[in-house]
Amino acid sequence: EDEYVFYSWHRMLNIIGNPSEVIQHPAIFLAFMNGVEILVNQYLKIGYATKAAGKDMSRFLPPDGNTILHIFGTWLYDAIQFDKIGFDEGTALAMKILCNIMTTKHLTNFLPIYMASFYSCMQVALMKEERVLLAAITSATNLFTLEIKGLRCLVPSFVYAIHKVITKRAKPFDNVMPAEHVRRACLTLLSTLLPLPNHFGSTKFTLSMFDSASKAFDVKQYMELKAHFSMILSEALSNETYPPNLETLLNLAATWGLEEIENSSEFIKQAISLIVRKTTSSNGWTSETALVAIKTLSAMSSMYPKLEKGYDQANVIVGHLCKYVSGLLSAGQPQATEDLIVHSFKCITDWIMVEQWILDYADTKYMLLHALVLGLTGRPQRQENVPEPQVKATPEVPVKGKKAKKDHW
C-alpha cells in the first residue's frame, strides 16, 4: 500500500549504512555511486517529463533540492570530504552528482547546512588533482550564471583551479578526458568571472583557501584577482593550440582588455603583441583562427585613446599586417585567402583612422603602399634602391634646423 512505500524505500536505501564508511573496495564504491546517480537523475526528471508528455500527473510533485539532499546528501558530502585514497572515480562521480543537483535545482531555497556543506566540498575538490578536480570544473561551468546564495565565496578557489589547468601545473587528464576539453571548461568558467573585480571592487572574500599549495594564491578581495586574470589569459594565448579554444580565448582577451583598460593598458599591449605574432608567423595559428584574431585586433582599435603610447601598438599591427597581406597576395592564390586579405585591410584601416600617427613612420607608410599596390594590381611596386622596410619602434624625429617634410595623402 502507498502509505508503506516510504518506509520500505527508506529501509532499502539505508540497508548497507554509510557507503563511505562500510565500502572498502574502490570498484564497489564506484558501482554504488553509479546507482546513486541513476536515482538522483530520476528524481530530477520528475515534473519535467510529465509536462513534456502533456499528461495530468499532479499527484507527482517534483522534489526540490532540499528533498533530494535529505535522501542522498550525506552520502555525497561524505564521499568528497573523506577523500579515501584510491577511490577517486567514485569521489569524482559524487562531485558531479552534487553539482547536478545544485545547478538543476538552483531555484531551491537550500538549507544553510546543505549550502555550507556544498561550498566546503567544492573547495576540497578544487584543491585536488586529476579526476576529482576535473569533475569539479566540468560540472560547474554554468554555476556562476545562476542565482545561488553565497556562491561567490568560491571565486578564489575556482580561479586557483583554472590557473593550475591553464598553466599546466595540474596533473594531466588525458586518461579521463582530452586536455583541450578541460581547458575549454576552464575558459567557460573564466568568462563568467571576468566582470567581478570591477563590479565588486575592494569587497573582501569571506572564505579563506586552506590548502598549503595555494598560499601563494591567497587573495583577500576582488581587485586582487585582476593580476591573476591577466596572467591566465596571457599564458593561454601563448600556449593554446586547439582552434575552438583559441576563438573563445580571443574574445575573452578583448573583453578583459575592455574591463582593464581604465586601470592599466599593459594587458592589452601584451595581448596585441601575442596575437600579432601568432597570426602572422609562418608556424602560427591556422587560417580560421587567424581570421578571428584579425577581427579581434580590429575591435581592439576602439581602445586606442586609452593605450599608453598607442601609436607604437598601431604601428606594430599595421606593419605586420601589411607584410602578412603582401605575403598572401604574393603566394598567387588570392581567392583561397580572400577573407584573410579583406579583413586584414579592414583591420589596417581601423588602426590607421584612429589618429594620424602613421605620418611619422616612413617604413610603415612604404609597407602600406606596397600592400595596396599589390592588392590593386597583382604586381609589386617597382623598387629602385629602396631598403627592406622595418617596423620602427619610435616615430621619425625631424632633423634639427630643418622643417619636417609634410606628407600628403
Side-chain angles (χ1 to χ4, degrees):
E1 297 181 15
D2 289 353
E3 60 184 296
Y4 298 113
V5 169
F6 173 79
Y7 299 102
S8 59
W9 165 254
H10 185 270
R11 185 74 176 267
M12 181 177 63
L13 280 176
N14 293 277
I15 196 168
I16 66 169
N18 189 328
S20 297
E21 295 176 347
V22 301
I23 297 178
Q24 301 301 320
H25 195 283
I28 297 175
F29 187 72
L30 175 61
F32 181 88
M33 282 300 163
N34 279 320
V36 172
E37 183 181 33
I38 292 171
L39 292 173
V40 168
N41 287 341
Q42 293 302 315
Y43 270 101
L44 293 175
K45 289 178 182 178
I46 296 175
Y48 295 102
T50 53
K51 289 178 182 177
K55 298 178 181 178
D56 182 14
M57 304 286 282
S58 56
R59 67 187 292 258
F60 297 107
L61 298 176
D64 65 4
N66 286 322
T67 301
I68 297 174
L69 290 175
H70 286 334
I71 303 171
F72 305 104
T74 300
W75 297 344
L76 299 173
Y77 293 136
D78 286 353
I80 299 164
Q81 293 285 3
F82 282 16
D83 191 29
K84 297 167 72 173
I85 298 175
F87 285 63
D88 289 357
E89 287 189 77
T91 304
L93 184 55
M95 187 74 254
K96 176 187 173 185
I97 298 167
L98 190 55
C99 283
N100 192 22
I101 295 171
M102 302 303 293
T103 54
T104 304
K105 295 294 183 179
H106 66 276
L107 296 178
T108 297
N109 184 19
F110 286 100
L111 295 176
I113 184 63
Y114 291 149
M115 295 307 303
S117 297
F118 172 66
Y119 296 150
S120 178
C121 287
M122 183 60 79
Q123 191 178 43
V124 168
L126 292 170
M127 297 298 112
K128 296 298 178 183
E129 299 284 350
E130 298 180 325
R131 290 180 182 274
V132 179
L133 174 61
L134 174 64
I137 290 174
T138 57
S139 302
T141 51
N142 68 331
L143 197 59
F144 288 95
T145 65
L146 307 173
E147 292 294 329
I148 300 178
K149 189 175 181 180
L151 179 64
R152 285 189 290 272
C153 69
L154 291 174
V155 168
S157 298
F158 270 102
V159 176
Y160 173 69
I162 292 169
H163 182 268
K164 279 200 305 182
V165 173
I166 296 296
T167 59
K168 299 181 180 179
R169 295 180 184 177
K171 292 181 180 179
F173 303 98
D174 293 337
N175 60 330
V176 183
M177 178 185 289
E180 59 269 22
H181 294 174
V182 183
R183 295 196 302 272
R184 184 162 187 80
C186 286
L187 294 176
T188 302
L189 264 169
L190 185 63
S191 69
T192 65
L193 302 177
L194 291 181
L196 299 182
N198 281 342
H199 185 75
F200 290 103
S202 59
T203 304
K204 295 182 178 180
F205 292 111
T206 57
L207 192 62
S208 299
M209 298 175 68
F210 53 81
D211 187 270
S212 58
S214 65
K215 287 183 179 178
F217 192 83
D218 193 22
V219 291
K220 304 297 184 184
Q221 57 184 13
Y222 282 91
M223 291 297 286
E224 295 175 8
L225 292 173
K226 286 193 169 189
H228 296 290
F229 287 165
S230 296
M231 185 188 306
I232 290 169
L233 289 170
S234 296
E235 187 80 18
L237 280 171
S238 297
N239 300 319
E240 184 59 66
T241 57
Y242 187 54
N245 287 359
L246 281 168
E247 293 184 19
T248 301
L249 184 55
L250 287 164
N251 289 320
L252 290 182
T255 301
W256 180 238
L258 287 169
E259 288 280 343
E260 183 67 351
I261 194 68
E262 295 292 339
N263 177 58
S264 170
S265 62
E266 287 305 310
F267 169 76
I268 199 65
K269 288 162 67 175
Q270 185 178 12
I272 287 172
S273 177
L274 283 167
I275 293 170
V276 168
R277 176 165 55 84
K278 292 283 190 177
T279 301
T280 59
S281 63
S282 58
N283 59 345
W285 293 331
T286 64
S287 58
E288 291 81 5
T289 302
L291 183 59
V292 177
I294 292 167
K295 291 179 180 178
T296 303
L297 287 173
S298 243
M300 286 179 173
S301 64
S302 64
M303 303 183 211
Y304 179 87
K306 302 288 185 180
L307 283 173
E308 183 182 356
K309 296 184 178 179
Y311 47 81
D312 281 344
Q313 304 304 312
N315 183 49
V316 168
I317 293 170
V318 172
H320 280 83
L321 283 182
C322 284
K323 292 169 72 175
Y324 179 65
V325 168
S326 297
L328 293 176
L329 290 167
S330 299
Q333 295 180 324
Q335 292 182 345
T337 55
E338 181 178 352
D339 283 346
L340 284 173
I341 294 169
V342 169
H343 284 283
S344 293
F345 274 125
K346 181 182 182 303
C347 183
I348 290 169
T349 304
D350 289 338
W351 280 95
I352 287 176
M353 297 303 291
V354 292
E355 200 176 56
Q356 294 187 3
W357 59 267
I358 197 171
L359 300 180
D360 295 321
Y361 291 84
D363 287 350
T364 306
K365 286 187 292 185
Y366 177 85
M367 284 189 282
L368 176 59
L369 289 171
H370 178 78
L372 288 171
V373 170
L374 192 58
L376 290 170
T377 67
R379 297 188 303 275
Q381 184 180 3
R382 191 172 69 181
Q383 302 179 31
E384 296 180 359
N385 299 322
V386 180
E388 176 68 19
Q390 299 292 327
V391 177
K392 297 179 63 176
T394 56
E396 288 181 339
V397 179
V399 178
K400 187 175 181 180
K402 294 184 179 180
K403 187 176 181 181
K405 184 179 179 181
K406 186 176 181 182
D407 293 272
H408 297 279
W409 290 74

